[in-house]
Amino acid sequence: DETFAVAMFSPDAEVLTPAGMLGLNLGAWMSWWLGSIAGAWAAGLVAKSINDAMAVMLYGLFIGLLVVGLIYGLRGLGL
């Protein structure tokens, strides 16, 4: 994940200490937690029709990613 990448590519060796890893992971966790709270609060501000449309758009997003992945995957196989 992102915290592993930051730790591995950081020029500062202090990041790899237990305290550094705790700070790195705690910062990432707090960002995720606060973002989830803010998102839940902001979802209440969106009109119901837009909220319902977003549920359908999520399926469309996954289908679009699947189709593109399949097309490029089949091209890589020479099909």
Side-chain angles (χ1 to χ4, degrees):
D1 68 337
E2 296 84 8
T3 56
F4 176 78
V6 168
M8 290 299 100
F9 294 109
S10 175
D12 186 9
E14 286 291 317
V15 173
L16 297 177
T17 64
M21 292 301 292
L22 178 65
L24 183 64
N25 286 306
L26 190 60
W29 181 79
M30 287 298 293
S31 301
W32 175 79
W33 188 76
L34 290 171
S36 296
I37 299 247
W41 173 77
L45 302 176
V46 176
K48 177 151 176 41
S49 60
I50 294 174
N51 198 5
D52 292 341
M54 284 185 181
V56 175
M57 285 187 274
L58 188 59
Y59 291 115
L61 171 72
F62 288 127
I63 290 169
L65 291 172
L66 178 65
V67 168
V68 170
L70 287 174
I71 289 172
Y72 284 106
L74 293 175
R75 284 185 187 166
L77 294 173
L79 300 174

